């Protein structure tokens, strides 16, 4: 009562964060997203190594399964969005799919325990776990961002825009920490290292679910609006059919969707028009992700990751807390130098470590294929001479700064734009449409990489040129884009509905008066 935001000392719906205009509920949403991203990227950090070294798959099969899993994670958001906007609502959808997410992680962890069944059992459990994880992470992905935006009132537009920046920062923070911590867990507790490396992300997902449920009393929960997808598809189909069957003498309509006015409400038609305008604007955007994904090359990433975590120096524990437990470098002095480095501990200390890393980066003349035997010893299988690289790796820093800056601005703007331009009952659907641009970008990369067979530098130039052309096309499309205002749409149709209700009331009163007059006349008669 009296505008209080507390009930018996416990915060309730409408509570603000430390006297600001930010709702307190977003704290639970941001923490939930941090833990969920830690869970997802932590599992993916060792997934390729798990396929190669534990399941003993070859590189082609490992790469195919890895990309299939990644693609499924970005195609399933449309399913989660439809469930949220049409059936369960965002809150229940996040909880139920998070439970599926946790079950997938647990199954994946159990499948990595050596004593559980044979190789076929491990493969079956791993695939089942990955499928459940893909549906879980993809299903909640559009719902969490849209649910966070729902917590803000109409007079908190600036705070909502900043929220999406904070939200994206939590995504990057979770992925950064997980990709550093999880591989360390994998490398320190053999033979159960993979079970632990997958178990920690599972625990973090449980924490994410618990945090989200704990803040349930603070959330603003918009109810679902019925089967939106079915209504949209039926409306579009009726408009096309009506337009096709109409005679030439029929009056012209300003928009092709207006042909559905005979059966569907003007509000639904206008909402579909708003969504289609945004989705058309998103058509060129997958090319951005296709170019952005070029910074992670399959071969180099797998080879470097395998070497980096298979060969580690024990002296690193003194100052890095097992972050980099062993470091592999290959000496210029040939096989004798390599064996001496593998069997003799280098001098401890941070300066020595950085000196060896610099040697690895700047002066490597040989490459080595290595493996770890069951006894734990490391054996060099093959050595190959490679020409020295005279370009220092530090020259890649400006490129990565520009790539990161572009990706951050692009992603945050896309999240906020997708939310602000979507009608109230289609917030999650449009968020899923934004995430689909990432999925189609990965599809473009796979098609070009597998079909064209170009050299690496030629692929870079191809994607850069295509993105440059797409930038021109997108700029023209954005220039002619008409900004949507869902809140204004709600006000207009709310006033119209009130006017219709008043008209109905007036008609009822007139009918009652007419009936009374008729009754009076009949009485006199």
């Amino acid at each position: 009562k009296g505008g209080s935001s507390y009930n018996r000392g416990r915060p309730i719906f409408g509570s603000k964060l430390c006297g600001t205009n930010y709702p307190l509920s977003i704290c639970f949403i941001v923490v939930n997203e941090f833990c969920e991203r830690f869970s997802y990227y932590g599992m993916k950090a060792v997934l390729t190594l798990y396929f190669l070294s534990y399941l003993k798959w070859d590189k082609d099969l490992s790469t195919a399964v890895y990309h299939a899993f990644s693609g499924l994670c970005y195609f399933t958001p449309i399913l989660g969005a439809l469930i949220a906007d049409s059936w369960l609502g965002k809150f229940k959808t996040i909880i139920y799919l998070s439970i599926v997410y946790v079950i997938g992680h647990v199954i994946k962890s159990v499948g990595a325990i050596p004593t559980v069944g044979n190789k076929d059992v491990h493969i079956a459990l791993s695939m089942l776990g990955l499928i459940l994880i893909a549906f879980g992470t993809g299903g909640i992905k559009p719902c969490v961002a849209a649910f966070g935006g729902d917590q803000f009132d109409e007079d908190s537009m600036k705070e909502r825009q900043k929220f999406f920046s904070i939200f994206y920062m939590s995504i990057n923070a979770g992925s950064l920490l997980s990709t550093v911590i999880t591989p360390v867990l994998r490398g320190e507790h053999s033979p159960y290292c993979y079970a632990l490396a997958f178990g920690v992300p599972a625990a973090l997902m449980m924490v994410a679910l618990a945090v989200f449920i704990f803040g349930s009393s603070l959330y603003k929960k918009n109810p679902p609006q019925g089967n939106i997808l079915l209504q949209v598809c039926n409306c579009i189909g009726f408009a096309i059919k009506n337009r096709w069957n109409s005679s030439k003498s029929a009056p012209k309509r300003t928009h092709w969707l207006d042909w559905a006015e005979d059966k569907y409400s003007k509000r639904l038609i206008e909402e579909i028009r708003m969504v289609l305008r945004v989705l058309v604007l998103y058509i060129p955007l997958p090319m951005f992700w296709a170019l952005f994904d070029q910074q992670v090359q399959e071969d180099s990433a797998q080879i470097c990751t395998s070497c980096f975590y298979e060969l580690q120096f024990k002296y690193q524990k003194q100052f890095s807390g097992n972050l980099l437990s062993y470091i592999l470098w290959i000496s210029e002095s040939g096989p004798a130098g390599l064996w001496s480095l593998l069997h003799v501990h280098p001098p401890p200390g941070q300066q020595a470590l950085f000196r060896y890393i610099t040697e690895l980066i700047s002066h490597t003349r040989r490459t080595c294929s290595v493996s770890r035997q069951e006894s734990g010893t490391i054996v060099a299988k093959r050595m190959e001479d490679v020409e020295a690289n005279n370009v220092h790796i530090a020259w890649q820093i400006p490129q990565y700064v520009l790539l990161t800056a572009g990706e951050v601005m692009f992603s945050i703007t896309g999240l906020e734009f997708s939310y602000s331009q979507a009608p109230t009952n289609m917030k999650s659907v449009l968020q899923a449409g934004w995430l689909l641009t990432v999925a189609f970008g990965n599809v473009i990369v796979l098609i070009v990489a597998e079909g064209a067979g170009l050299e690496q530098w030629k692929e870079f130039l191809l994607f850069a040129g295509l993105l440059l052309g797409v930038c021109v096309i997108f700029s023209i499309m954005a220039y002619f884009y008409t900004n949507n205002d869902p809140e204004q749409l709600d006000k207009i149709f709310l006033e119209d509905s009130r006017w219709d209700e008043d008209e109905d009331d007036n008609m009822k009163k007139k009918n009652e008066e007419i009936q009374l007059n008729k009754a009076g006349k009949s009485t006199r008669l």
Side-chain angles (χ1 to χ4, degrees):
K1 294 182 179 180
S4 175
S5 298
Y6 289 83
N7 182 18
R8 296 180 181 179
R10 183 180 179 182
I12 59 175
F13 170 71
S15 302
K16 298 299 182 180
L17 181 62
C18 298
T20 65
N21 209 22
Y22 290 93
L24 184 60
S25 56
I26 66 170
C27 295
F28 297 90
I29 297 174
V30 170
V31 174
N32 167 268
E33 184 66 13
F34 170 83
C35 295
E36 189 273 328
R37 289 292 88 187
F38 188 105
S39 171
Y40 175 73
Y41 285 107
M43 182 272 302
K44 285 189 70 176
V46 295
L47 189 59
T48 302
L49 284 174
Y50 175 75
F51 292 153
L52 292 170
S53 62
Y54 191 85
L55 299 181
K56 306 300 180 183
W57 288 352
D58 58 23
K59 193 193 76 170
D60 294 334
L61 179 59
S62 301
T63 302
V65 174
Y66 182 88
H67 281 290
F69 169 71
S70 300
L72 185 61
C73 290
Y74 280 98
F75 278 109
T76 50
I78 191 68
L79 178 62
L82 294 177
I83 294 174
D85 286 342
S86 303
W87 182 25
L88 295 177
K90 300 181 187 69
F91 177 73
K92 291 183 178 179
T93 301
I94 294 172
I95 291 179
Y96 293 158
L97 290 181
S98 294
I99 294 174
V100 174
Y101 200 164
V102 171
I103 294 173
H105 268 303
V106 172
I107 294 175
K108 186 77 181 68
S109 303
V110 172
I113 299 176
T115 56
V116 177
N118 54 18
K119 182 179 178 181
D120 294 334
V121 175
H122 294 162
I123 293 175
L125 291 176
S126 298
M127 294 304 100
L128 177 60
L130 288 178
I131 292 173
L132 293 177
I133 290 172
F135 277 97
T137 185
I140 69 174
K141 193 183 293 289
C143 301
V144 176
F147 189 67
D150 289 344
Q151 307 306 307
F152 293 86
D153 301 325
E154 294 182 7
D155 56 347
S156 303
M157 301 292 292
K158 293 183 179 179
E159 287 80 5
R160 190 180 68 191
Q161 292 176 353
K162 293 179 181 179
F163 160 75
F164 284 106
S165 300
I166 300 171
F167 183 82
Y168 197 73
M169 183 186 70
S170 69
I171 294 175
N172 287 331
S175 62
L176 174 63
L177 292 178
S178 65
T179 51
V180 173
I181 295 174
T182 307
V184 175
L185 298 174
R186 189 215 68 84
E188 287 294 320
H189 297 273
S190 180
Y192 296 91
C193 52
Y194 285 108
L196 179 62
F198 291 139
V200 171
L204 262 293
M205 190 58 220
M206 294 178 187
V207 173
L209 177 58
V211 169
F212 186 78
I213 294 176
F214 186 76
S216 59
S217 62
L218 301 172
Y219 299 139
K220 177 183 177 182
K221 305 167 188 175
N222 294 329
Q225 303 293 323
N227 197 337
I228 298 299
L229 179 63
L230 183 61
Q231 295 180 26
V232 170
C233 294
N234 289 338
C235 182
I236 293 175
F238 183 81
I240 296 174
K241 181 181 178 180
N242 203 13
R243 174 67 181 87
W244 182 264
N245 296 331
S246 63
S247 61
K248 295 182 179 180
S249 59
K252 295 183 178 180
R253 312 291 175 95
T254 57
H255 193 273
W256 63 271
L257 277 173
D258 293 336
W259 289 95
E261 289 181 349
D262 297 341
K263 186 177 180 181
Y264 296 93
S265 65
K266 292 183 179 180
R267 173 167 186 160
L268 178 62
I269 294 173
E270 185 60 31
E271 289 173 344
I272 296 173
R273 190 180 301 166
M274 293 167 63
V275 172
L276 291 180
R277 277 202 298 263
V278 178
L279 292 179
V280 169
L281 192 66
Y282 285 172
I283 290 176
L285 300 186
M287 190 53 63
F288 173 88
W289 298 111
L291 179 60
F292 183 78
D293 288 341
Q294 294 303 300
Q295 63 178 311
V296 182
Q297 293 299 312
E298 295 176 9
D299 294 345
S300 60
Q302 291 179 5
I303 292 173
C304 291
T305 306
S306 299
C307 292
F308 190 75
Y309 294 113
E310 286 297 332
L311 297 175
Q312 304 171 336
F313 288 127
K314 295 181 180 179
Y315 77 95
Q316 186 55 14
K317 297 178 181 178
Q318 299 176 3
F319 61 92
S320 65
N322 294 335
L323 181 61
L324 300 174
S325 300
Y326 302 87
I327 297 292
L328 168 66
W329 78 91
I330 301 174
S331 174
E332 292 179 307
S333 57
L338 172 66
W339 282 105
S340 64
L341 294 176
L342 290 177
H343 290 288
V344 178
H345 293 296
Q350 188 169 4
Q351 294 181 355
L353 170 67
F354 287 123
R355 184 170 69 250
Y356 297 139
I357 293 177
T358 305
E359 290 291 324
L360 172 63
I361 292 173
S362 304
H363 301 292
T364 298
R365 294 184 182 275
R366 294 179 183 273
T367 183
C368 175
S369 176
V370 298
S371 66
R372 174 177 290 171
Q373 296 180 344
E374 294 181 358
S375 60
T377 59
I378 299 170
V379 178
K381 289 184 176 179
R382 176 178 58 85
M383 297 194 66
E384 178 183 352
D385 288 333
V386 179
E387 294 183 3
N389 189 355
N390 58 2
V391 179
H392 200 281
I393 195 173
W395 285 107
Q396 293 187 10
I397 294 177
Q399 291 92 311
Y400 275 97
V401 169
L402 292 176
L403 281 170
T404 304
E407 190 259 345
V408 168
M409 291 187 289
F410 187 79
S411 299
I412 294 174
T413 305
L415 286 172
E416 198 277 331
F417 182 80
S418 299
Y419 182 87
S420 63
Q421 297 297 294
T424 305
N425 56 351
M426 299 185 189
K427 298 290 187 183
S428 298
V429 171
L430 206 50
Q431 288 286 339
W434 166 255
L435 294 171
L436 281 178
T437 62
V438 183
F440 284 113
N442 290 328
V443 171
I444 293 173
V445 172
L446 289 176
I447 293 175
V448 174
E450 296 295 333
L454 300 175
E455 296 181 25
Q456 189 179 88
W457 68 271
K458 291 181 180 179
E459 282 191 15
F460 286 170
L461 288 180
L462 174 63
F463 282 106
L466 289 174
L467 183 58
L468 183 61
V470 165
C471 285
V472 176
I473 297 173
F474 181 76
S475 299
I476 297 173
M477 296 174 64
Y479 179 79
F480 291 100
Y481 175 77
T482 303
N483 195 51
N484 295 332
D485 192 352
E487 296 175 357
Q488 185 65 26
L489 181 69
D490 292 339
K491 292 179 181 179
I492 292 174
F493 283 99
L494 182 61
E495 293 176 357
D496 291 344
S497 63
R498 289 175 179 174
W499 184 82
D500 292 339
E501 291 177 357
D502 294 339
E503 287 293 316
D504 293 339
D505 293 339
N506 293 332
M507 289 297 296
K508 289 180 180 178
K509 290 179 180 179
K510 290 181 180 179
N511 291 334
E512 291 175 356
E513 292 176 358
I514 293 173
Q515 294 295 332
L516 289 173
N517 291 333
K518 288 182 178 180
K521 291 180 179 179
S522 61
T523 302
R524 288 194 297 272
L525 180 62

